[in-house]
Amino acid sequence: MARETSRDRRERVAEMQAAQKRAERRRLLVVIGACVAVIAIIGAAVAWAIIGEQNKKDEALQNISGDVAAASCDPITNDPASGSSDHVGPGTNQADVTKIEYSTVPPSSGKHFAVPAVDGRRVYTVADAPQIETLVHNLEHGYTILWYDRSVEKEQAAAFEALSTKVNAMKESANKFLISPWDPAYGALPAGKKYALSHWSADVDQASGKVSNQMGHRQLCGGLNTTVVEDFVKKHPWSSAPEPGAA
């Protein structure tokens, strides 16, 4: 048997090292391939979820974009407006006031709590809705509010989210469109009406800040319709309000 020389040993070691490197390279490629596959699967799942969510929104909007007449909406009413900057309740000199009796259902102006809803929510549920007095302050700041009967909360949840996204993107809304349940403790919505829109309009002199020509606007409907909401917001934009520049 031939005796292994130093050169033979070096060659054998080099060959073993080369084989080891090839094996490590293969393992690395397998790991990379697996990672790419996982990323691709996750990406596809996310894309599918996004597409699915968009499809749900599109379908929800489609369901409330039918015949306007089918929504059984009353004509828009114009109410005398009052209460601009008239704050009551917590943090005011009338801290004992916890509830205000408004002259209309829903209110389109009036006394209100000192702090509006500014939490970024645009759709509220019965479980988390601000008090009516808080939301009236939002009306003073140029918001339009879609109030809904509590009985439709679950069935219209998807429609509310889709409608909020669409209307808040309008220039006439400027992200000042809220959807919130109506509290029957402040009076019942008229028979057959499940939805109500309200807005508090006014003219504001840019130089003096004087508020004039205040008026409340309401529209009550039996059904939910995208066109009705969009038309109401176009007629009564965020810029027409006692304090349109406030949050």
Side-chain angles (χ1 to χ4, degrees), residues 66-86:
D67 182 14
V68 170
S72 302
C73 296
D74 293 340
I76 295 174
T77 58
N78 300 317
D79 313 311
S82 63
S84 179
S85 298
D86 195 347

Side-chain angles (χ1 to χ4, degrees), residues 87-98 112-115 131 133-134:
H87 299 162
V88 298
T92 73
N93 58 6
Q94 300 181 59
D96 58 331
V97 176
T98 59
H112 46 276
F113 286 167
V115 181
Q131 285 190 237
E133 293 83 358
T134 296

Side-chain angles (χ1 to χ4, degrees), residues 10 15 50-51 62 79 110 120 138 166 197 216 221 227 234 238-239 241:
R10 288 196 300 272
E15 185 178 345
I50 292 173
I51 293 172
Q62 184 63 35
D79 313 311
N138 286 82
K166 183 175 177 62
L197 290 154
C221 300
T227 301
K234 288 176 182 177
W238 71 275
S239 54

Side-chain angles (χ1 to χ4, degrees), residues 153-175:
E153 179 181 61
K154 292 183 179 179
E155 68 181 83
Q156 295 287 26
F160 288 154
E161 291 293 342
L163 181 63
S164 171
T165 299
K166 183 175 177 62
V167 176
N168 275 305
M170 296 170 58
K171 66 180 186 298
E172 295 88 353
S173 170
N175 201 35

Side-chain angles (χ1 to χ4, degrees), residues 153-238:
E153 179 181 61
K154 292 183 179 179
E155 68 181 83
Q156 295 287 26
F160 288 154
E161 291 293 342
L163 181 63
S164 171
T165 299
K166 183 175 177 62
V167 176
N168 275 305
M170 296 170 58
K171 66 180 186 298
E172 295 88 353
S173 170
N175 201 35
K176 286 191 170 186
F177 174 67
L178 299 178
I179 301 177
S180 189
W182 174 246
D183 185 347
Y186 290 77
L189 292 172
K193 303 302 180 184
K194 300 291 186 181
Y195 307 92
L197 290 154
S198 64
H199 183 85
W200 184 350
S201 69
D203 294 330
V204 181
D205 183 81
Q206 296 300 315
S208 65
K210 182 179 179 180
V211 177
S212 62
N213 300 324
Q214 294 188 66
M215 186 171 291
H217 310 282
R218 291 176 297 128
Q219 186 170 27
L220 285 76
C221 300
L224 186 60
N225 185 276
T226 304
T227 301
V228 170
V229 176
E230 290 176 325
D231 286 348
F232 186 92
V233 171
K234 288 176 182 177
K235 290 175 183 175
H236 309 295
W238 71 275

Side-chain angles (χ1 to χ4, degrees), residues 9-81:
R9 283 196 298 272
R10 288 196 300 272
E11 291 178 349
R12 182 164 56 82
V13 170
E15 185 178 345
M16 291 173 62
Q17 290 175 336
Q20 184 177 3
K21 288 182 180 179
R22 288 194 295 271
E24 289 175 351
R25 191 178 299 112
R26 286 194 296 270
R27 285 194 294 270
L28 179 60
L29 291 174
V30 169
V31 171
I32 292 174
C35 291
V36 170
V38 169
I39 292 172
I41 292 171
I42 293 174
V46 170
W48 182 260
I50 292 173
I51 293 172
E53 189 64 28
Q54 186 59 50
N55 287 340
K56 287 181 181 178
K57 288 185 177 182
D58 292 343
E59 182 179 356
L61 278 177
Q62 184 63 35
N63 290 338
I64 59 172
S65 298
D67 182 14
V68 170
S72 302
C73 296
D74 293 340
I76 295 174
T77 58
N78 300 317
D79 313 311

